[in-house]
Amino acid sequence: MFRTTLAGLLAHRLRLVLTSLAIVLGVGFIAGTFVLTDTIDAGFSQSFAADADKVDVVVTPKDDTERDGNLPESALAAIRAVHGVKDAQPMVSGDAPLIGKDGKVVGDYPTAGVSIPASRIKITSGRAPSAAGEAVLDKNTAKTQGLAPGAAVTVLDRAGKRQEFRLVGIFDVGIDQNLAYRGAVAFTPDSARRVTGAKGFTEIDVVSSGPSPESLRTAVAAAVRDAKVVTGRERADEVAKRNHMDTSFIRLGLLLFGAVALLVAALVIYNTFNILVAQRMREMALLRCIGATKRQVFGSIVLESAVVGLLSSVLGLLTGLGLGAAAVAVLRAIGTDIPTGTVSLSPQTIAIGMCTGVVVTMAAALLPARQATRVPPVAALRTQVEEHAFRTGVVRVVIAALFVLAGAGLTAAGMLQKPGQAALLTVMAGGVLVFFAVLILGPVIVRPLSGLAGWVPARLFGVPGRLAVDNSRRNPKRAATTTVALTVGVTLMTFMAVLTSTVRTTVNGQLDQQFPADYILSAQTGTIPRSVADTLRASRDLAAVTEFRGKKAKVNGREFEVGTVTQSAIGTAIKPEASSGTMDGFGAGEVAVADYVAQDLGVKVGDTVTVTSGGRSTPLKVAAVLKADVSLLPPFTMAEQAFERHFGRVDDTQVLVDAADGVAPERARKVVDDATAAYPAVKVGSTTEIRGQFDEAIDSILMIVTGLLALAIVISLLGIANTLSLSVHERTRESALLRALGLTRPQLRGMLSVEALVLGLVGAIVGVVLGTVYGWAATATLTEKVAFQLPIGQILIFIAASGLAGVLAAVLPARRAARASVVGALAAS
Amino acid sequence: MTTTTQVRTAVVARGLTKVYGQGDAAVHALRGIDVGFAAEEFTAIMGPSGSGKSTLMHCLAGLDTVTDGQVSIGGVEITGLNDKQLTLLRRERVGFIFQAFNLLPTLTAEQNIRLPLEIAGRQADQALFDRVIETVGLRDRLRHRPSELSGGQQQRVAVARALISKPEVIFADEPTGNLDSRSGAEVLAFLRRSVRELGQTIVMVTHDPVAASYADRVVFLRDGLLVSEVQRPTPQAVLDTLMALEA
């Protein structure tokens, strides 16, 4: 039996190549994910280890101390006094907002101001800072700002004053993601502390003069209190582990997409094996005739799937290695600062890849294998394999109905729940059940759907078109499985498209409605002097200037941001939305609370909360609970006067500016820019810009997700190609007959293309409907007031692309069908 | 009644040669055949297995290319036409009846019958359609799909399909090969009637002497050569000729 199976496999090489390609891609993606994350992990570990070797003992503040709890300056002297310490270098870090060419601070976040021990800093050009007036800049910032050693750089110190330094070198931040993101200026320790105002050190690196790191660690630990003292190697392991958590997150996300791809691959394999079994009915029957038991027939199919699974998994692993290497290369090419080790397949990756590949393939082949055992020996003697007419079974409909009911019930329950994660998960669970119902009902719905999808092609392409539409639903089970594979990808894509476009319109709409403004002023560090708002208010080109202020304070014993907003703006320039109570007539003794905080503290409208700070207590009555999804207001908002009475004169954190009607944007912008020119830390953003950034962020998320889902689509296209080529094989006689009757080669090719088009469209239609319905259901669980937005353009693109992809999948099978000689095919009876 | 004094030839082959393969492996299926098939006549091609009768039919019908020689259908030389031209020629001038797998399983009997016309984009002549349907006796089976028809009925649908486009010639390849004798006799009777009543030209390949006896004329092939022919055959006359050939 074993030999028969292998011989059969070899005989159907080409067919199995298509099948295994599905698994190769799925396993390849998963293996590639591991290869990529392993490589990054390894790279980090290597560079940490390299760093660790330069330092014997690392002293850091205790993890549980508060944020500002740096190592005291006395610690440095204490450590230096420890016997066996050759050198101890402190590390300082804080903010040193770099001022760019436009006179404004650079970036969204303040540039970091640091001092890095000479032994650790990686200077790429120039030298490390050694005098008070010297600084070095990180590679990326230097590049974007066009600064080179010798240039002068200006940063803002803690007090907001300009400080000029001479750039003496460029350095590489290496693996520090925080510095890489913010950009960094490095100074001598003294300068760093002067500029950033940081007290104490964030780290002290100790180099041994002889003792082993372990014994030195014990000695140092005895010298400093309230500090964590570890050896360089321990520190490296720790950081590597923390970093590993980050890559685990990426890995998990990518694996989810890999799982989707494998699910689709499983559908494709299930379908292929089903068709193979149907085609080899006579072969099976012959085996039964000559004495093979049902068990042996079953075993032979399962064995076949195991061999296919094994081979494709091996290929998949190699593909994964290639994909991982390619991803690493791309990451490097686009300049991501990740250290990369050597690309390799770890034993774990190999084990996971092989297991998933083989298990998925074998599991998908189980049902077809069972089907094969049902072939009676007498079938070998029948001359013609009759086509199985599909009948809608009652059981099928009942089971599907149960799934639909359960799914719809869960979905409805989720939508009726309070918006939140639980509601979303309930809706998703409902979606999975409904998807199963679609899977079960597939053969039933594929007929009318192909009629619908084929309505235009059947009329457009004449006889071949009509025949193609008929053919597409000829074997409903096969058509259904083929299209469902495509449906999976299209559903998820549509789902994401609906979700993102709805979130976009909802957020934009609410921002517009509640906080209509043309410009938003914010301070990168510190606050905005009140004089800015006063200057702006004096301009006739501006209609409304709304100031936001805030301070940290204890409310009912817990620390929160308590703020206020220009009194006259409430209800006019800004219209915060209350879920209960109202801000109308907001007065001195009142407070508006953000909903999530209200829930946290268990306060509601009418309750009294007490704001405490600086030894002063103010009781306030809750006048409104505000929806906080899109709000510029702090957790607690007091009336302007009451705020001032409690906190004194506080500068603005944010200023909203609305241009007067009829004023040209350039003119309004100039007024705002002029008013803030003296304050480099104050950044001006126009709401259109901000919206553009928001849109861009959403678009890129959608693009990444769509790109990752494309793999599932590609695999399902392999399924379509597979199904078609098997159908072409089955219908060799028919095609020959049609050719004899006068169908031209292009017409025959066209016929198969139309069939594939119809299959693609059916898959897309089901996917688009499911995706839209569940996208809608999911958005309902996000917030209470959702502006549902159907991305019609994108959905049409999905449908058109699916149809087109189907046609593409038909190219090879169609060519084969058209190339076959009429006589040869006729003789093949 | 056809009382034409001058018989028109529907299909003519001159020096028809077909060689499969090359060099030592070459198989000479047809070795230079000259034959004509009169219009409105029912001709049978007979011969032992491997005599080349199917190859001859395929070459005559433009399904297969010839190695040498010429074939013309209705005065049009078909050797030298490209695939597209041959396809269009088949569409317009040739009808086919095969031994099996004659019908598309997805179409009803009526759709199968009209298929060649639809492929050609022509309208069926309703009078002719009715007449053909009456002739083959399928009026109450038009809405059935092939799987719901008996073998004999399926072949009758195939005959009707071949007739409906009024081709220059119908090629029938063992049309009764898969039928029981009664259904076979029925189908053959229809073929003969279509020649008599509709003036159709039919060329049939068969190895069954009884089937051949329905024809007006039988030509015999052996080893790729035309070796004999019988006019107005009887089963016995056909059998005798065959026996003589096999000897």
Side-chain angles (χ1 to χ4, degrees):
Chain A
M1 225 35 212
F2 185 66
R3 240 189 246 184
T4 326
T5 306
L6 289 188
L9 267 173
L10 285 177
H12 299 123
R13 265 184 305 240
L14 196 74
R15 209 170 303 164
L16 287 166
V17 163
L18 275 174
T19 317
S20 45
L21 212 51
I23 280 293
V24 169
L25 289 180
V27 171
F29 188 84
I30 289 196
T33 302
F34 278 103
V35 169
L36 174 66
T37 49
D38 282 352
T39 308
I40 295 177
D41 267 357
F44 275 118
S45 300
Q46 276 166 22
S47 44
F48 289 138
D51 266 5
D53 286 343
K54 295 180 194 155
V55 177
D56 294 308
V57 172
V58 178
V59 184
T60 50
K62 274 232 163 83
D63 285 343
D64 54 0
T65 46
E66 299 263 312
R67 218 171 64 81
D68 263 357
N70 283 343
L71 292 168
E73 288 177 35
S74 59
L76 183 63
I79 292 169
R80 279 185 173 149
V82 172
H83 180 72
V85 171
K86 185 180 169 200
D87 187 21
Q89 285 292 336
M91 192 151 153
V92 177
S93 67
D95 293 342
L98 179 73
I99 297 181
K101 294 230 153 91
D102 59 354
K104 291 282 178 185
V105 289
V106 170
D108 292 333
Y109 291 93
T111 313
V114 296
S115 161
I116 302 171
S119 59
R120 290 264 301 274
I121 193 163
K122 275 186 216 143
I123 298 288
T124 56
S125 75
R127 57 177 175 82
S130 55
E134 294 176 347
V136 291
L137 192 58
D138 78 277
K139 207 169 55 180
N140 286 341
T141 312
K143 200 166 151 197
T144 50
Q145 291 297 317
L147 292 167
V153 288
T154 311
V155 296
L156 292 180
D157 68 9
R158 177 89 165 173
K161 287 220 178 65
R162 290 160 189 266
Q163 301 276 353
E164 200 163 294
F165 289 87
R166 197 164 66 82
L167 204 57
V168 294
I170 305 296
F171 78 107
D172 187 346
V173 296
I175 46 184
D176 193 320
Q177 299 297 302
N178 180 32
L179 295 191
Y181 183 66
R182 289 165 61 191
V185 192
F187 313 94
T188 58
D190 288 340
S191 301
R193 270 181 297 171
R194 186 165 52 81
V195 170
T196 62
K199 291 187 177 58
F201 310 116
T202 49
E203 186 179 317
I204 297 175
D205 293 350
V206 184
V207 180
S208 163
S209 63
S212 73
E214 283 72 23
S215 60
L216 191 62
R217 177 190 60 195
T218 321
V220 169
V224 285
R225 282 184 304 120
D226 282 339
K228 196 171 135 194
V229 185
V230 292
T231 62
R233 194 147 298 273
E234 283 168 346
R235 171 74 170 162
D237 290 347
E238 194 182 297
V239 179
K241 201 185 282 170
R242 199 181 316 146
N243 191 72
H244 180 71
M245 302 270 278
D246 290 347
T247 42
S248 299
F249 217 68
I250 300 173
R251 176 177 304 183
L252 190 68
L254 285 175
L255 285 183
L256 275 178
F257 288 97
V260 170
L262 272 180
L263 169 72
V264 174
L267 283 169
V268 168
I269 289 166
Y270 164 76
N271 207 22
T272 312
F273 269 93
N274 246 337
I275 300 170
L276 286 180
V277 165
Q279 281 188 341
R280 280 154 55 192
M281 189 115 86
R282 282 177 65 180
E283 195 183 313
M284 303 290 163
L286 187 65
L287 284 173
R288 295 293 313 280
C289 274
I290 58 174
T293 60
K294 282 191 172 194
R295 208 190 169 82
Q296 281 172 315
V297 168
F298 181 81
S300 94
I301 305 270
V302 173
L303 180 65
E304 186 171 329
S305 70
V307 173
V308 171
L310 210 64
L311 286 178
S312 359
S313 302
V314 170
L315 286 176
L317 286 175
L318 293 177
T319 312
L321 191 59
L323 281 178
V328 169
V330 167
L331 283 179
R332 266 184 207 157
I334 60 174
T336 315
D337 269 324
I338 48 158
T340 38
T342 35
V343 177
S344 67
L345 279 176
S346 71
Q348 182 204 10
T349 311
I350 295 177
I352 291 176
M354 293 301 282
C355 282
T356 29
V358 172
V359 167
V360 166
T361 316
M362 287 179 73
L366 280 184
L367 277 177
R370 209 169 72 104
Q371 195 65 37
T373 63
R374 298 216 179 121
V375 179
V378 70
L381 308 172
R382 288 185 197 139
T383 46
Q384 200 180 341
V385 182
E386 69 263 44
E387 277 191 39
H388 286 278
F390 175 80
R391 280 192 187 77
T392 310
V394 181
V395 182
R396 183 183 289 270
V397 174
V398 169
I399 293 179
L402 287 176
F403 268 102
V404 169
L405 277 179
L410 265 181
T411 309
M415 290 177 70
L416 291 176
Q417 261 174 338
K418 246 183 93 62
Q421 206 160 23
L424 181 64
L425 285 178
T426 316
V427 165
M428 290 296 98
V432 170
L433 288 183
V434 169
F435 183 77
F436 274 118
V438 170
L439 203 61
I440 297 168
L441 269 186
V444 182
I445 54 177
V446 83
R447 280 186 72 85
L449 278 179
S450 66
L452 178 72
W455 197 82
V456 173
R459 271 150 195 79
L460 226 57
F461 299 106
V463 183
R466 259 180 297 147
L467 289 174
V469 175
D470 280 344
N471 280 338
S472 70
R473 49 184 166 178
R474 190 155 160 182
N475 192 327
K477 265 188 175 170
R478 191 187 296 176
T481 326
T482 309
T483 53
V484 154
L486 182 60
T487 300
V488 174
V490 176
T491 303
L492 293 174
M493 280 190 182
T494 312
F495 176 80
M496 281 307 294
V498 169
L499 208 59
T500 47
S501 81
T502 299
V503 165
R504 182 184 312 206
T505 32
T506 306
V507 171
N508 280 345
Q510 291 184 358
L511 273 177
D512 269 358
Q513 203 188 351
Q514 298 184 34
F515 302 95
D518 293 321
Y519 303 100
I520 295 181
L521 273 54
S522 52
Q524 195 188 58
T525 47
T527 48
I528 309 168
R530 286 227 201 158
S531 59
V532 172
D534 294 340
T535 315
L536 290 172
R537 232 173 239 127
S539 165
R540 255 190 280 156
D541 292 326
L542 305 177
V545 176
T546 312
E547 294 164 83
F548 292 77
R549 289 170 211 135
K551 271 280 184 191
K552 287 249 184 277
K554 286 230 157 100
V555 181
N556 284 6
R558 281 171 58 186
E559 193 169 76
F560 286 102
E561 168 100 2
V562 177
T564 188
V565 65
T566 308
Q567 189 75 23
S568 60
I570 299 171
T572 56
I574 63 165
K575 303 179 182 77
E577 203 179 328
S579 57
S580 66
T582 173
M583 278 186 93
D584 293 349
F586 194 56
E590 292 180 323
V591 67
V593 189
D595 52 9
Y596 64 96
V597 178
Q599 201 181 353
D600 239 26
L601 289 180
V603 297
K604 51 187 188 303
V605 174
D607 290 356
T608 302
V609 296
T610 311
V611 174
T612 318
S613 72
R616 188 190 282 268
S617 279
T618 309
L620 295 163
K621 205 171 101 210
V622 176
V625 173
L626 302 179
K627 288 193 179 161
D629 303 328
V630 282
S631 178
L632 299 176
L633 291 173
F636 290 93
T637 308
M638 297 169 66
E640 205 175 356
Q641 277 185 323
F643 181 85
E644 201 125 312
R645 219 174 297 139
H646 184 103
F647 292 100
R649 190 179 161 90
V650 172
D651 276 338
D652 297 336
T653 50
Q654 223 169 22
V655 178
L656 292 193
V657 179
D658 216 3
D661 286 342
V663 173
E666 301 79 40
R667 190 161 157 191
R669 174 84 198 213
K670 192 169 181 311
V671 171
V672 178
D673 280 345
D674 288 349
T676 58
Y679 310 99
V682 176
K683 303 201 89 176
V684 179
S686 82
T687 38
T688 31
E689 272 168 31
I690 293 171
R691 185 160 310 163
Q693 283 165 8
F694 177 62
D695 281 356
E696 238 168 63
I698 281 198
D699 281 342
S700 58
I701 290 175
L702 186 63
M703 227 171 72
I704 290 171
V705 170
T706 309
L708 290 172
L709 285 173
L711 180 71
I713 302 274
V714 168
I715 294 179
S716 61
L717 292 184
L718 287 177
I720 293 187
N722 220 353
T723 304
L724 277 182
S725 67
L726 292 162
S727 297
V728 162
H729 177 82
E730 278 179 350
R731 298 189 211 134
T732 309
R733 289 287 319 218
E734 251 175 80
S735 306
L737 177 67
L738 283 167
R739 291 274 290 128
L741 291 180
L743 211 64
T744 61
R745 276 203 175 114
Q747 279 179 313
L748 190 65
R749 273 202 300 270
M751 191 172 103
L752 278 151
S753 302
V754 172
E755 184 175 347
L757 173 76
V758 170
L759 286 177
L761 288 180
V762 168
I765 290 172
V766 177
V768 160
V769 169
L770 276 179
T772 306
V773 169
Y774 275 88
W776 170 74
T779 51
T781 67
L782 293 181
T783 58
E784 268 161 29
K785 214 176 195 179
V786 170
F788 179 70
Q789 174 79 28
L790 197 61
I792 292 173
Q794 273 164 340
I795 286 178
L796 287 181
I797 289 176
F798 290 154
I799 295 179
S802 301
L804 196 71
V807 173
L808 220 63
V811 168
L812 281 181
R815 268 176 55 138
R816 226 177 65 192
R819 242 193 338 219
S821 102
V822 181
V823 176
L826 287 172
S829 54
Chain B
M1 280 298 285
T2 50
T3 51
T4 36
T5 46
Q6 201 179 4
V7 179
R8 195 167 60 85
T9 22
V11 182
V12 184
R14 292 267 167 270
L16 194 55
T17 306
K18 176 74 188 177
V19 183
Y20 292 108
Q22 283 182 336
D24 288 346
V27 176
H28 294 262
L30 301 175
R31 299 164 181 270
I33 289 184
D34 295 297
V35 69
F37 298 93
E40 302 178 22
E41 198 179 65
F42 186 2
T43 311
I45 302 176
M46 289 208 77
S49 294
S51 61
K53 53 186 191 297
S54 283
T55 307
L56 175 61
M57 194 205 90
H58 291 151
C59 289
L60 292 175
L63 289 174
D64 209 347
T65 55
V66 304
T67 310
D68 199 11
Q70 289 120 35
V71 176
S72 54
I73 296 177
V76 179
E77 164 131 16
I78 67 164
T79 35
L81 295 186
N82 65 21
D83 182 76
K84 167 118 191 178
Q85 291 165 322
L86 277 176
T87 305
L88 295 180
L89 175 109
R90 284 201 299 271
R91 209 186 253 188
E92 301 293 332
R93 305 198 169 204
V94 184
F96 287 98
I97 303 164
F98 298 110
Q99 180 175 358
F101 301 106
N102 251 314
L103 308 177
L104 288 193
T106 50
L107 301 183
T108 63
E110 177 166 359
Q111 286 169 329
N112 262 296
I113 293 171
R114 290 184 186 270
L115 186 59
L117 290 175
E118 296 204 350
I119 290 177
R122 284 194 281 157
Q123 276 298 311
D125 173 352
Q126 195 55 41
L128 177 67
F129 181 81
D130 288 337
R131 197 160 163 209
V132 167
I133 295 305
E134 290 312 323
T135 313
V136 295
L138 283 168
R139 181 61 71 189
D140 56 340
R141 288 271 179 270
L142 288 179
R143 304 242 164 271
H144 291 58
R145 286 186 198 275
S147 57
E148 298 159 329
L149 298 173
S150 72
Q153 286 168 336
Q154 287 185 28
Q155 282 308 71
R156 271 146 61 190
V157 172
V159 172
R161 182 192 62 205
L163 290 172
I164 197 78
S165 55
K166 285 200 281 184
E168 190 77 36
V169 55
I170 293 175
F171 290 102
D173 190 1
E174 303 274 12
T176 58
N178 272 2
L179 302 181
D180 60 78
S181 57
R182 217 189 100 223
S183 309
E186 257 174 32
V187 168
L188 288 163
F190 292 133
L191 289 180
R192 191 160 62 187
R193 269 175 74 190
S194 61
V195 173
R196 302 274 183 281
E197 295 176 13
L198 303 172
Q200 188 60 59
T201 309
I202 297 179
V203 177
M204 171 177 76
V205 169
T206 182
H207 64 270
D208 174 11
V210 178
S213 71
Y214 281 81
D216 299 316
R217 168 185 172 224
V218 184
V219 298
F220 293 89
L221 241 64
R222 193 181 65 186
D223 298 331
L225 285 170
L226 203 61
V227 287
S228 176
E229 75 168 76
V230 174
Q231 294 281 349
R232 315 225 165 271
T234 62
Q236 195 54 50
V238 173
L239 202 57
D240 290 346
T241 315
L242 269 181
M243 299 287 264
L245 285 180
E246 301 267 9

